[in-house]
């Protein structure tokens, strides 16, 4: 993530998923106001698992970029098998992507086993992914002082909103306002990551 592209591309992914959920929750509530129930993810008409496969593909791309693609990261581990301190943040970012990948993978598996009954468990996996994302940004190995630290602190607030609203979805699946805020928080995670990438890694915007 420590680059313009490394923030903007994942941020755009969060933005798209958040927008997709926002539009679908509004549509679902408009069509079925009396029987509205939130879904952890939304199937498309042509291919049921398009959203989840898109998430998985984005996570694989993110992990590859963090650990292998950049020339400086072709060997993410030292010869003795330990993680170099200057690559620790790459593994932290990769762990976030790995947890989200696991959420999407098990969402497909649970849907194939017994769709409606497993939605609560799917939402729990989503909450775990947001909780782990929060912890990794909170305990980030990079410096928490300065401008980047302030951006990370504000990002943590949005992640916490995503975490708590996802937990509330389990007990209150018919609460439209909760799902609306959850979708907005995911969308805003994407906006904030893109803002971070542009403001912290564009030479014209880097603060003096």
């Amino acid at each position: 993530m420590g680059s313009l592209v490394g923030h903007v591309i994942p941020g755009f992914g969060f933005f798209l998923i958040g927008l997709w959920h926002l539009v679908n929750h509004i549509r679902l509530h408009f069509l079925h106001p009396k029987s509205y129930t939130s879904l952890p993810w939304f199937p498309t008409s042509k291919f049921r698992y398009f959203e989840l496969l898109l998430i998985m593909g984005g996570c694989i791309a993110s992990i590859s970029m963090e650990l292998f693609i950049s020339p400086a990261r072709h060997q993410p581990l030292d010869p003795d098998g330990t993680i170099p301190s200057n690559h620790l943040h790459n593994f932290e970012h990769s762990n976030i992507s790995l947890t989200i990948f696991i959420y999407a993978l098990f969402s497909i598996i649970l849907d194939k086993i017994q769709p409606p009954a497993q939605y609560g468990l799917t939402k729990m996996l989503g909450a775990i992914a947001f909780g782990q994302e929060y912890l990794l940004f909170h305990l980030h190995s990079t410096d928490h002082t300065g401008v980047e630290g302030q951006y990370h602190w504000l990002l943590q607030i949005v992640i916490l909103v995503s975490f708590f609203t996802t937990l509330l979805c389990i007990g209150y699946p018919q609460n439209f306002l909760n799902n609306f805020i959850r979708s907005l928080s995911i969308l805003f995670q994407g906006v904030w990551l893109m803002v971070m990438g542009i403001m912290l890694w564009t030479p014209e915007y880097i603060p003096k």
Side-chain angles (χ1 to χ4, degrees):
M1 264 193 192
S3 66
L4 173 65
V5 175
H7 280 81
V8 171
I9 293 179
F12 188 64
F14 272 98
F15 175 81
L16 281 180
I17 296 298
L19 184 62
W20 170 251
H21 278 226
L22 190 65
V23 169
N24 277 283
H25 278 301
I26 293 171
R27 179 176 172 274
L28 192 62
H29 186 264
F30 178 77
L31 293 174
H32 309 286
K34 305 246 184 213
S35 59
Y36 166 81
T37 302
S38 67
L39 299 174
W41 52 273
F42 291 91
T44 57
S45 57
K46 299 201 173 178
F47 187 55
R48 182 172 179 81
Y49 301 117
F50 180 75
E51 175 191 332
L52 298 173
L53 290 175
L54 188 66
I55 292 172
M56 291 168 68
C59 290
I60 291 170
S62 175
I63 293 169
S64 300
M65 286 173 62
E66 289 289 342
L67 299 181
F68 306 110
I69 290 178
S70 173
R73 300 171 193 152
H74 278 175
Q75 294 181 340
L77 298 176
D78 277 337
D80 61 356
T82 58
I83 300 172
S85 58
N86 61 323
H87 285 176
L88 189 57
H89 65 283
N90 300 117
F91 280 86
E92 291 167 349
H93 298 156
S94 297
N95 270 323
I96 294 171
S97 298
L98 180 62
T99 308
I100 297 172
F101 177 90
I102 291 170
Y103 153 76
L105 176 63
F106 275 88
S107 295
I108 295 174
I109 293 171
L110 290 170
D111 184 68
K112 285 185 174 294
I113 295 172
Q114 196 175 0
Q118 304 298 347
Y119 281 160
L121 186 53
T122 304
K123 291 171 186 173
M124 178 59 74
L125 288 172
I128 290 170
F130 286 128
Q132 192 247 23
E133 182 188 9
Y134 170 78
L135 283 175
L136 282 174
F137 274 112
H138 185 70
L139 304 172
H140 209 290
S141 59
T142 55
D143 194 354
H144 284 280
T145 61
V147 178
E148 186 177 0
Q150 294 299 309
Y151 274 97
H152 280 167
W153 181 78
L154 291 167
L155 178 62
Q156 288 174 55
I157 295 173
V158 185
I159 296 170
L160 274 180
V161 173
S162 298
F163 170 71
F164 284 116
T165 51
T166 303
L167 277 180
L168 286 171
C169 281
I170 300 170
Y172 303 96
Q174 296 177 324
N175 190 311
F176 171 72
L177 181 60
N178 180 68
N179 292 295
F180 184 83
I181 294 172
R182 177 179 180 270
S183 302
L184 274 182
S185 70
I186 296 171
L187 183 149
F188 197 71
Q189 275 193 60
V191 170
W192 199 241
L193 284 170
M194 289 189 284
V195 168
M196 284 176 63
I198 293 167
M199 297 304 293
L200 296 177
W201 277 274
T202 302
E204 293 82 1
Y205 299 136
I206 294 174
K208 296 180 181 179

